[in-house]
Amino acid sequence: QVQLMEYGGDSVQTGESLTLSCKASVFTYSTYYMTWFRQAPGKEREGVAVIYPGGGITRYTNSLKGRLTMTQDSAKNEVYLQIDDLRPEDSAMYYCAAGTQLRLADVFRPGKYLYWGQGTQVTVSS
């Protein structure tokens, strides 16, 4: 059982940066794919960034590549998502998820993840 808790969401202005954090209740570094998803009202949940088990591979969704940086602190059981140059269309609830044994094609598919946090809200105003 993995419990996840996100924090760091905020209301910001266009162009600002924000770093979200996700704290896991167990050691996830070597076993779990740790992934950030986001969901805006009326839209599907979409995966935006993932760190593979062991921390050696990080992938980003193409539409946000260049504005995202995902990192991990294995000693703290935390992952982070820095979002730069925030835009109103980035407004969403951001979720952290943990999954295992994922294929490349599955890393951004919400249905493949067993453990989820409650989300943290990011609101970007122009």
Side-chain angles (χ1 to χ4, degrees), residues 36-50:
W36 285 98
F37 290 82
R38 71 180 187 179
Q39 188 168 20
K43 295 188 177 181
E44 293 186 353
R45 190 168 297 191
E46 63 170 336
V48 298
V50 56

Side-chain angles (χ1 to χ4, degrees), residues 68-81:
L68 300 181
T69 305
M70 184 173 181
T71 56
Q72 184 174 43
D73 187 333
S74 58
K76 295 182 178 180
N77 293 339
E78 291 193 354
V79 294
Y80 311 97
L81 182 68

Side-chain angles (χ1 to χ4, degrees), residues 42-104:
K43 295 188 177 181
E44 293 186 353
R45 190 168 297 191
E46 63 170 336
V48 298
V50 56
I51 283 183
Y52 280 41
I57 299 175
T58 306
R59 296 191 185 277
Y60 303 100
T61 186
N62 288 335
S63 62
L64 296 173
K65 197 175 294 185
R67 296 200 293 123
L68 300 181
T69 305
M70 184 173 181
T71 56
Q72 184 174 43
D73 187 333
S74 58
K76 295 182 178 180
N77 293 339
E78 291 193 354
V79 294
Y80 311 97
L81 182 68
Q82 178 179 325
I83 315 171
D84 296 321
D85 188 24
L86 280 157
R87 305 164 186 177
E89 54 265 37
D90 294 320
S91 298
M93 187 71 79
Y94 284 73
Y95 298 91
C96 175
T100 59
Q101 299 178 328
L102 299 178
R103 300 178 302 166
L104 174 61

Side-chain angles (χ1 to χ4, degrees), residues 3 7-8 10 18 30 42 68 70 83 88 98 104 107 109 115 122:
Q3 294 179 327
Y7 56 98
D10 203 354
L18 196 62
S30 59
L68 300 181
M70 184 173 181
I83 315 171
L104 174 61
V107 294
R109 295 176 64 182
Y115 303 109
V122 174

